[in-house]
């Protein structure tokens, strides 16, 4: 039997799961719930779109590429370099997010001033939309973090007012040093004063009090009166921190194009901040770019002055020597030796100077970890070795970047540490190249020294005065050479400073082109609202379906059980179960007439009755109490009686009798009295107001109802009634609770098993269905009771059972009266689909 129970239940589940039409109709039945949740979701989405502060995102595009003057030599342009292409991008990214950079921008724009206007949900940021601007004197104290109301008046006047805080001190702030230590002490509750608008931002302060020092100037030629705005002076540090979220990214990988993006509540603020941020970056980069060139110019000018003085002294000494010794020109032999030794001596001096510069360079690098010298030596010396020059170039790039970065980030920053390590490696490579160059230069110097020694022996053969003149002329030639050299370097350095341009160029400025807010996104929110309005009811339906164990539809009965369905009875409302007698023209009464016709087939198929038996016995039962079997019994007996057949209704639910209430009778005597031999059948039989219908009540509740129903008196009782009546209708106890009804099956010609919609649990009638399948019970059919006119649980109506519907009559067979409908339940009933 257990196997059959499981198999029957499983067959029903599989049929439902494979029927998409079943679930489609089930979902469509909840259309009111979908409508309500979608409408509610759209209302919430609309509220969010209006309530949440709007955020905008604007962009600007710049090019960051090193610009050098092609007219200058590589040695000169060396003083300009401060980063390679990829390094510049990385450095700019760090700078734009650094606190130092953002403090400069915030201070220049005075972004710590809020411009506000009352909105529907909050104070709205109206920066750039006011007919005036405020420029405060940041060296004086201002009222801190408190709303100042500005109301425009006639004749270019305005009223500024505020209410002082009495719960705590009224703080003051001085933005020049971010000092908030001062307090404004006052006994006044509020402040209000009228002023004239200034013409421009260059005017002196027109609002000057002990707690304010402002220049409020108009931005429009005509200002409409009765406009109300608010200003507030915020915390400087929090303002800077809130603006350090700028996004910087490469437009094209490997290119020098950068896209700067900033998000905020005011498009005007974003536009001004992005453009000013680029401007500050350009100025800072320009200053840093020319920093070493400027220092080099000063250093070369000093060397140039020294060499000029030296040249002048030598020139004077040469003139005095010629005059004292009366010798003005060299002999032909002396001129030849001078020409031959001059080139050798110049080369010798150059090599000596190169060695000296290498020594200076090495000493400078070894003695400086962070370059703070007025001039980095590598910026103006000339190195013959190309590899060494390249390493010096690289050292200048990285050291300049490090010096620029040290004011932006801490020394523990990964980018800072990366640069330090890279510089150390460059220095090691440079030491090695300096050592190799020193060896090579010394070798060349020794060779030149030998050649000059041979010429010195020849010079000693010249007259003494000619040797002296030759000495002075050599010193003059050397000094003149270095004088010209420094003069050229001075010109190049000055030209480089004057001709330098910024490496930052604006491709696209930040402009308000009517961009829509990125948050909240109205379209997205509405779509999410619609989606939630659909998904949430679906979850509700799925969960309800998973937890639902009630019989809902006719189709479900036919698919899950083997016992045939005799018919269905619609819902009735009221306190009387005599619906067929009281309302014979109702559709409910018509449904019972249809049941009377259909049940005749069960009677005709019965061939097990004793010959000569007159009455046909109908037994009505159910799984549990409350499914409506008593109401079905009363009205089935009524339709038999009204058809002219002598009918008796027997209440054999000895444990919980109920029939007597509908007929306004007393339950003092009944079947129990006969079964215990206290009364005869005639004494317990009572007439009713319905023609041809008698009734036998159950009587007092006995302590042993099962034993009484199994007694011989019960057999005799039914046999006697069969002789007197055409139809016997027996109202039995539920078989799901007690076995009394099963004992009465032997007396029946037909059995009606009542299933109540949305009340009977699935599986309750599986036992009787299995008995039917195993041929233990025959001539049994289901009656589907309390069927609603509309049903959201599927489909399956229109099977020709002849049942009717009505929502105008009462439902008196419920055990408990329905409570009065409240407003809350009316709302729930509207959302919940009709069944």
């Amino acid at each position: 039997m257990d196997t059959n129970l499981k198999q029957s239940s499983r067959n029903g589940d599989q049929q439902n799961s494979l029927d998409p039409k079943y679930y489609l109709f089930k979902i469509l039945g909840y259309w009111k719930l979908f409508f309500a949740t979608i409408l509610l979701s759209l209302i919430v989405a609309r509220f969010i779109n209006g309530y949440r502060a709007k955020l905008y995102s604007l962009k600007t595009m710049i090019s960051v590429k090193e610009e050098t003057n092609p007219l200058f030599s590589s040695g000169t342009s060396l003083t300009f370099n401060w980063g390679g292409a990829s390094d510049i991008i990385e450095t700019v990214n760090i700078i734009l997010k650094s606190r130092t950079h953002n403090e400069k921008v915030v201070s220049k724009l005075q972004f710590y001033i809020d411009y506000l206007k009352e909105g529907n949900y909050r104070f709205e940021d109206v920066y750039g939309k006011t007919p005036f601007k405020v420029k405060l004197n940041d060296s004086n104290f201002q009222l801190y973090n408190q709303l100042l109301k500005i109301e425009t008046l006639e004749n270019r006047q305005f009223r500024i007012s505020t209410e002082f805080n009495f719960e705590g001190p009224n703080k003051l702030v001085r933005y020049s040093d971010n000092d908030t230590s001062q307090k404004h002490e006052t006994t006044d509750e509020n402040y209000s004063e009228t002023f004239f608008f200034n013409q421009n931002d260059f005017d002196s302060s027109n609002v000057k009090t002990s707690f304010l020092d402002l220049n409020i100037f108009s931005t429009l030629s005509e200002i409409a009166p009765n406009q109300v705005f608010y200003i507030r002076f915020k915390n400087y540090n929090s303002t800077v921190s809130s603006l350090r979220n700028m996004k910087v990214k490469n437009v094209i990988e490997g290119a020098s194009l950068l896209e700067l993006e900033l998000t905020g509540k005011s498009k005007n603020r974003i536009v001004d901040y992005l453009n000013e941020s680029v401007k500050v970056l350009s100025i800072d980069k320009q200053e840093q770019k020319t920093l070493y060139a400027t220092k080099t110019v000063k250093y070369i000018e000093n060397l140039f002055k020294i060499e000029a003085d030296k040249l002048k002294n030598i020139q004077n000494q040469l003139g005095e020597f010629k005059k004292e010794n009366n010798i003005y020109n060299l002999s032909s032999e002396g001129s030849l030796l001078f020409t031959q030794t001059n080139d050798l001596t110049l080369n010798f001096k150059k090599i000596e100077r190169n060695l000296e510069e290498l020594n200076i360079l090495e000493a400078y690098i070894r003695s400086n970890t962070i370059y703070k010298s007025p001039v980095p030596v590598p910026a103006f010396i000339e190195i013959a070795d190309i590899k060494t020059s390249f390493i010096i170039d690289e050292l200048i790039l990285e050291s300049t970047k490090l010096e620029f970065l040290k004011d932006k980030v801490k020394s523990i920053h990964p980018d800072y540490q990366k640069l330090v390590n890279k510089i150390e490696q460059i220095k090691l490579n440079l030491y090695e190249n300096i050592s190799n160059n020193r060896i090579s230069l010394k070798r060349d110097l020794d060779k030149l020294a030998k050649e000059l020694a041979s010429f010195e022996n020849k010079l000693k053969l010249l007259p003494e005065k000619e040797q002296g003149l030759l000495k002075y002329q050599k010193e003059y030639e050397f000094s003149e050479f270095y004088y010209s050299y420094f003069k050229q370097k001075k010109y190049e350095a000055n030209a480089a400073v004057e001709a330098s341009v910024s490496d930052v160029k604006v491709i696209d400025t930040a402009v308000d082109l009517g961009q829509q807010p990125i948050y909240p996104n109205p379209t997205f929110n509405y779509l999410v609202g619609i989606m939630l309005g659909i998904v949430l009811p679906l979850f509700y339906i799925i969960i309800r379906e998973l937890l639902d164990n009630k019989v809902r539809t006719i189709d479900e009965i036919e698919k899950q059980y083997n016992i045939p369905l005799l018919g269905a009875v619609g819902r009735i409302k009221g306190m009387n179960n005599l619906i067929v007698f009281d309302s014979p023209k109702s559709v409910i009464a018509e449904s019972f007439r249809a049941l009377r016709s259909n049940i005749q087939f069960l009677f005709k198929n019965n061939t097990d009755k004793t010959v000569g038996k007159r009455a046909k016995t109908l037994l009505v039962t159910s799984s549990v109490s409350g499914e409506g079997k008593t109401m079905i019994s009363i009205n089935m007996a009524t339709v038999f009686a009204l058809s002219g057949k002598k009918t008796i209704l027997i209440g054999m639910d000895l444990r919980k009798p109920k029939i007597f209430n509908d007929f306004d009778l007393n339950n003092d005597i009944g079947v129990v009295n006969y079964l215990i031999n206290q009364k005869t059948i005639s004494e317990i039989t009572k007439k009713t107001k319905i023609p041809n219908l008698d009734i036998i009540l159950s009587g007092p509740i006995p302590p042993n109802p099962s034993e009484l129903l199994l007694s011989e008196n019960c057999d005799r009782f039914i046999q006697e009634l069969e002789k007197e009546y055409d139809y016997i209708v027996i109202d039995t106890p539920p078989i799901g609770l007690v076995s009394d009804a099963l004992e009465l099956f032997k007396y029946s010609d037909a059995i009606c098993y009542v299933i109540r919609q949305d009340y009977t649990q699935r599986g309750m009638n599986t036992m009787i269905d299995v008995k039917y399948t195993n041929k233990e019970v025959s001539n049994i059919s289901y009656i589907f009771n309390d069927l609603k006119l509309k049903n959201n649980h599927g489909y399956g109506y229109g099977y020709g059972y002849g049942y009717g519907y009505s929502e105008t009559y009462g439902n008196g067979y419920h055990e408990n009266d329905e409570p009065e409908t409240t407003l809350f339940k009316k709302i729930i009933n509207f959302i919940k689909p009709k069944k």
Side-chain angles (χ1 to χ4, degrees):
M1 180 178 291
D2 292 341
T3 304
N4 291 332
L5 290 175
K6 294 178 181 178
Q7 184 66 32
S8 176
S9 178
R10 182 165 57 250
N11 289 342
D13 292 341
Q14 290 175 350
Q15 287 172 340
N16 279 344
S17 62
L18 297 176
D19 192 352
K21 188 177 179 182
Y22 170 81
Y23 292 104
L24 177 61
F25 276 89
K26 183 182 290 291
I27 292 172
L28 292 178
Y30 287 88
W31 69 269
K32 288 185 179 180
L33 176 61
F34 282 102
F35 175 79
T37 53
I38 290 175
L39 181 61
L40 180 62
S41 298
L42 292 176
I43 293 174
V44 172
R46 180 180 175 83
F47 174 76
I48 291 175
N49 290 335
Y51 178 76
R52 295 289 180 88
K54 292 180 174 57
L55 292 180
Y56 300 89
S57 179
L58 278 73
K59 302 175 182 179
T60 182
M61 187 184 299
I62 62 174
S63 170
V64 184
K65 185 177 182 182
E66 182 184 355
E67 299 291 343
T68 59
N69 196 320
L71 299 177
F72 302 138
S73 65
S74 59
T76 305
S77 62
L78 201 78
T79 61
F80 300 164
N81 296 333
W82 70 285
S86 60
D87 294 328
I88 291 177
I89 301 299
E90 184 179 353
T91 305
V92 167
N93 194 352
I94 296 173
I95 293 171
L96 289 172
K97 295 181 180 179
S98 68
R99 183 168 189 84
T100 303
H101 173 82
N102 286 278
E103 283 179 350
K104 291 180 182 179
V105 181
V106 168
S107 297
K108 286 189 176 183
L109 294 175
Q110 294 192 342
F111 257 32
Y112 36 74
I113 303 176
D114 269 342
Y115 295 83
L116 306 171
K117 189 174 184 179
E118 283 190 90
N120 294 330
Y121 304 103
R122 71 188 69 81
F123 281 102
E124 302 290 345
D125 189 345
V126 289
Y127 174 86
K129 298 179 182 178
T130 58
F132 62 88
K133 288 200 71 173
V134 177
K135 184 177 181 181
L136 57 80
N137 185 353
D138 57 9
S139 60
N140 288 339
F141 284 95
Q142 318 289 341
L143 193 61
Y144 176 60
N145 201 27
Q146 192 160 322
L147 287 175
L148 299 171
K149 182 179 179 181
I150 297 180
E151 183 179 2
T152 60
L153 306 174
E154 300 283 352
N155 301 321
R156 297 183 61 80
Q157 289 181 301
F158 66 92
R159 181 185 298 112
I160 183 168
S161 60
T162 186
E163 294 181 358
F164 292 113
N165 183 16
F166 284 96
E167 296 180 359
N170 297 280
K171 286 187 176 182
L172 300 176
V173 60
R174 184 172 57 198
Y175 286 108
S176 59
D177 54 2
N178 200 22
D179 182 8
T180 57
S181 61
Q182 299 296 318
K183 307 292 187 298
H184 176 64
E185 303 294 341
T186 181
T187 58
D188 297 332
E189 294 184 0
N190 51 59
Y191 164 79
S192 180
E193 194 170 353
T194 302
F195 299 93
F196 283 93
F197 282 110
N198 280 338
Q199 296 295 327
N200 51 61
D201 59 343
F202 300 108
D203 293 339
S204 58
S205 299
N206 52 349
V207 179
K208 198 164 187 176
T209 67
S210 58
F211 55 90
L212 291 174
D213 189 355
L214 313 174
N215 171 19
I216 302 181
F217 59 94
S218 62
T219 57
L220 299 175
S221 57
E222 296 292 336
I223 300 178
N226 302 321
Q227 298 184 73
V228 178
F229 301 94
Y230 297 86
I231 61 173
R232 179 175 56 195
F233 306 132
K234 299 188 300 181
N235 182 274
Y236 181 82
N237 291 327
S238 62
T239 302
V240 173
S241 299
S242 66
L243 292 165
R244 293 179 64 187
N245 60 346
M246 185 183 299
K247 297 179 182 178
V248 182
K249 63 179 181 180
N250 288 7
V251 177
I252 302 175
E253 192 66 29
S256 59
L257 295 177
L258 288 182
E259 185 179 74
L260 281 56
E261 182 178 3
L262 186 63
T263 301
K265 298 178 181 179
S266 170
K267 288 191 285 185
N268 291 330
R269 277 190 182 273
I270 299 173
V271 168
D272 286 355
Y273 197 85
L274 284 174
N275 293 333
E276 186 65 27
S277 184
V278 173
K279 183 179 178 181
V280 170
L281 173 66
S282 179
I283 293 173
D284 287 349
K285 196 166 184 297
Q286 177 74 2
E287 291 177 353
Q288 186 64 27
K289 181 178 180 181
T290 59
L291 173 64
Y292 288 109
T294 303
K295 292 180 179 180
T296 301
V297 168
K298 294 180 180 179
Y299 186 73
I300 292 177
E301 284 179 348
N302 185 46
L303 294 179
F304 175 74
K305 182 179 180 182
I306 294 173
E307 200 61 42
D309 293 340
K310 182 179 179 181
L311 179 61
K312 185 177 181 180
N313 290 333
I314 294 175
Q315 188 176 12
N316 292 334
Q317 291 175 8
L318 178 60
E320 291 177 359
F321 180 82
K322 288 181 177 181
K323 185 177 181 180
E324 291 177 359
N325 294 279
N326 197 25
I327 182 172
Y328 296 96
N329 295 311
L330 294 173
S331 64
S332 59
E333 185 179 0
S335 297
L336 178 61
L337 288 174
F338 176 77
T339 303
Q340 291 174 343
T341 58
N342 189 50
D343 292 337
L344 291 175
T345 304
L346 284 175
N347 291 334
F348 187 86
K349 290 290 185 180
K350 286 181 180 179
I351 293 175
E352 280 187 334
R353 187 169 186 87
N354 285 339
L355 282 171
E356 182 183 359
E357 289 176 346
L358 287 177
N359 293 333
I360 294 173
L361 174 61
E362 184 177 13
Y364 174 81
I365 294 172
R366 291 187 183 278
S367 62
N368 289 274
T369 54
I370 300 178
Y371 301 104
K372 296 183 179 179
S373 177
V375 178
V377 175
F380 68 92
I381 65 172
E382 291 185 352
I383 303 298
D385 182 61
I386 297 177
K387 186 175 181 181
T388 304
S389 298
F390 175 78
I391 297 175
I392 293 173
D393 189 6
E394 189 177 8
L395 177 63
I396 292 175
L397 302 182
E398 302 303 328
S399 62
T400 309
K401 284 173 52 181
L402 184 65
E403 185 173 347
F404 193 78
L405 195 62
K406 69 182 180 182
D407 295 327
K408 310 296 182 182
V409 298
K410 295 182 179 180
S411 59
I412 60 174
H413 193 279
D415 293 327
Y416 188 92
Q417 292 294 323
K418 181 180 177 181
L419 276 176
V420 170
N421 295 333
K422 188 174 182 179
I423 288 173
E424 289 300 320
Q425 185 60 46
I426 293 172
K427 287 164 67 174
L428 291 176
N429 295 337
L430 185 58
Y431 295 152
E432 183 178 355
N433 277 273
I434 288 175
S435 177
N436 294 334
N437 275 277
R438 187 184 288 114
I439 294 172
S440 177
L441 290 173
K442 285 184 177 180
R443 187 167 52 250
D444 294 339
L445 195 63
D446 291 340
K447 183 179 178 181
L448 287 174
K450 290 179 181 180
E451 294 182 9
L452 285 173
S454 63
F455 281 101
E456 287 294 333
N457 294 329
K458 294 180 180 180
L459 289 174
K460 291 178 181 180
L461 300 176
L462 294 175
E464 184 177 352
K465 291 183 179 181
E466 195 169 351
Q467 289 183 29
L469 179 60
L470 185 62
K471 175 183 175 183
Y472 279 114
Q473 284 187 343
K474 283 183 180 181
E475 291 180 358
Y476 180 81
E477 290 289 337
F478 297 152
S479 181
E480 187 180 34
F481 169 77
Y482 286 115
Y483 174 83
S484 300
Y485 172 77
F486 287 126
K487 185 177 181 181
Q488 178 65 26
K489 288 298 179 182
K490 177 184 176 182
Y491 166 77
E492 291 178 355
N494 283 319
V497 171
E498 296 297 328
S500 63
V501 293
S502 174
D503 294 342
V504 178
K505 289 183 174 56
V506 179
I507 306 300
D508 282 332
T509 57
V511 179
D512 179 8
L513 299 175
Q515 292 91 335
Q516 294 300 311
I518 60 172
Y519 178 85
N521 188 332
T523 303
F524 176 77
N525 288 341
Y526 284 128
L527 290 176
V528 170
I530 294 173
M531 186 183 303
L532 290 176
I534 296 174
V535 171
L536 292 180
L538 283 177
F539 273 116
Y540 167 76
I541 295 171
I542 292 171
I543 293 173
R544 181 173 178 177
E545 179 69 14
L546 292 175
L547 299 178
D548 184 21
N549 63 347
K550 300 292 195 303
V551 177
R552 302 291 185 184
T553 65
I554 292 174
D555 189 61
E556 185 178 344
I557 297 173
E558 290 193 330
K559 289 182 177 180
Q560 293 190 5
Y561 303 109
N562 295 316
I563 295 175
L565 181 65
L566 184 66
V569 178
R571 162 165 286 194
I572 60 175
K573 296 180 180 179
M575 298 304 298
N576 196 328
N577 282 330
L578 301 176
I579 183 66
V580 173
F581 180 75
D582 293 339
S583 302
K585 295 184 179 180
S586 66
V587 291
I588 297 295
E590 188 62 32
S591 68
F592 278 102
R593 295 187 187 97
L595 289 174
R596 179 185 62 190
S597 301
N598 293 339
I599 206 170
Q600 298 301 322
F601 295 100
L602 293 177
F603 291 142
K604 289 179 181 179
N605 292 333
N606 180 20
T607 57
D608 296 332
K609 291 295 179 179
T610 305
V611 177
K613 180 171 136 179
R614 296 176 53 220
K616 296 180 180 179
T617 304
L618 173 65
L619 188 145
V620 181
T621 188
S622 65
S623 299
V624 293
S625 178
E627 292 178 302
K629 61 180 179 56
T630 299
M631 186 274 293
I632 298 294
S633 300
I634 293 173
N635 286 284
M636 286 301 296
T638 301
V639 294
F640 286 140
L642 292 177
S643 66
K645 302 295 183 180
K646 191 176 181 181
T647 306
I648 188 167
L649 174 63
I650 306 174
M652 298 196 75
D653 187 352
L654 306 183
R655 300 174 186 270
K656 195 174 181 181
K658 291 185 291 184
I659 294 180
F660 63 91
N661 287 328
D662 294 290
F663 291 94
D664 297 325
L665 298 175
N666 195 316
N667 196 37
D668 293 339
I669 60 173
V671 175
V672 174
N673 299 95
Y674 177 85
L675 295 180
I676 60 175
N677 298 315
Q678 286 185 349
K679 300 288 182 179
T680 63
I681 291 179
S682 60
E683 291 177 327
I684 63 175
T685 303
K686 298 179 180 180
K687 295 291 183 179
T688 66
K689 60 183 178 180
I690 301 173
N692 301 320
L693 178 62
D694 294 339
I695 185 172
I696 298 178
L697 303 177
S698 62
I701 300 175
N704 56 343
S706 296
E707 287 77 5
L708 292 178
L709 295 177
L710 291 173
S711 66
E712 293 182 357
N713 286 344
C714 186
D715 295 339
R716 190 182 311 112
F717 174 68
I718 298 298
Q719 290 173 3
E720 291 295 327
L721 293 175
E722 288 177 343
K723 295 176 183 179
E724 298 294 330
Y725 293 94
D726 296 321
Y727 287 96
I728 301 173
V729 179
I730 303 175
D731 179 32
T732 68
I735 66 172
L737 301 178
V738 293
S739 61
D740 297 357
L742 292 174
E743 304 299 335
L744 299 174
F745 278 12
K746 61 186 178 181
Y747 303 120
S748 65
D749 294 318
I751 301 171
C752 289
Y753 197 100
V754 180
I755 297 174
R756 181 179 171 186
Q757 186 186 39
D758 299 337
Y759 186 89
T760 303
Q761 295 185 7
R762 294 171 186 154
M764 281 186 173
N765 51 334
T766 305
M767 180 185 69
I768 194 67
D769 197 77
V770 172
K771 287 181 176 292
Y772 175 80
T773 304
N774 295 336
K775 301 185 185 300
E776 298 178 28
V777 177
S778 60
N779 293 342
I780 185 171
S781 293
Y782 288 129
I783 292 179
F784 198 32
N785 186 30
D786 196 24
L787 187 66
K788 285 72 175 179
L789 182 61
K790 294 181 181 179
N791 197 307
N792 66 298
H793 299 290
Y795 54 93
Y797 303 160
Y799 287 85
Y801 295 113
Y803 57 86
Y805 306 93
S806 174
E807 296 195 5
T808 60
Y809 301 100
N811 184 3
Y813 57 84
H814 293 116
E815 288 188 328
N816 300 318
D817 295 341
E818 293 186 1
E820 183 180 353
T821 303
T822 63
L823 177 62
F824 176 75
K825 287 192 174 182
K826 287 181 179 179
I827 297 174
I828 296 299
N829 289 335
F830 173 78
I831 297 176
K832 186 177 179 180
K834 296 292 183 183
K835 299 177 181 178

